[in-house]
């Protein structure tokens, strides 16, 4: 996971005339992500997401779904179907940081 490349893109205002932020995306294979450990997932989030200034950080699973950390907050992330700019448009569940690590709860 740590070898994943991260790309960034501007976040534009509603009229599309001014940049108001930046977003980040890292791509993963959904089946591959299912096989990583919670410790590997936590390591990636701590190193690549936590403390960043992106408007949101998307883990795009290349199947139309992804995990989105809004505002790069790492306590709660949304999982679901992504729109064209990498935001969850239909939530399928929540990824939450607990004392024991990240857990997933389906809607």
């Amino acid at each position: 996971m740590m070898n994943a490349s991260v790309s960034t893109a501007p976040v534009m205002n509603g009229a599309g005339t001014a940049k108001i932020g930046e977003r980040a995306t890292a791509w993963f294979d959904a089946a591959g992500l299912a096989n990583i450990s919670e410790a590997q997932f936590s390591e990636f989030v701590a190193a690549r997401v936590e403390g960043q200034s992106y408007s949101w950080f998307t883990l795009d699973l290349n199947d139309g779904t992804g995990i989105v950390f809004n505002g790069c907050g790492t306590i709660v992330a949304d999982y679901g179907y992504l729109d064209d700019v990498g935001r969850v448009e239909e939530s399928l569940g929540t990824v939450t940081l607990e004392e024991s690590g990240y857990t997933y709860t389906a809607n």
Side-chain angles (χ1 to χ4, degrees):
M1 235 185 135
M2 293 303 293
N3 294 329
S5 63
V6 175
S7 67
T8 61
V11 174
M12 304 302 285
N13 66 4
T17 58
K19 179 180 173 181
I20 59 171
E22 196 167 51
R23 60 187 171 94
T25 304
W27 288 267
F28 299 95
D29 177 74
L33 189 63
N35 293 321
I36 68 157
S37 70
E38 189 285 326
Q40 291 169 309
F41 184 82
S42 292
E43 177 186 23
F44 179 86
V45 172
R48 297 291 191 86
V49 180
E50 188 174 7
Q52 300 298 318
S53 61
Y54 303 118
S55 297
W56 63 88
F57 195 112
T58 304
L59 306 181
D60 189 320
L61 303 182
N62 289 315
D63 65 356
T65 68
I67 300 169
V68 178
F69 294 90
N70 290 302
C72 289
T74 57
I75 303 299
V76 177
D78 295 319
Y79 167 71
Y81 293 105
L82 300 175
D83 66 12
D84 61 342
V85 293
R87 293 177 297 194
V88 170
E89 66 180 354
E90 182 183 339
S91 179
L92 298 172
T94 305
V95 178
T96 307
L97 180 58
E98 307 286 343
E99 285 184 26
S100 60
Y102 282 95
T103 60
Y104 173 70
T105 305
N107 291 346

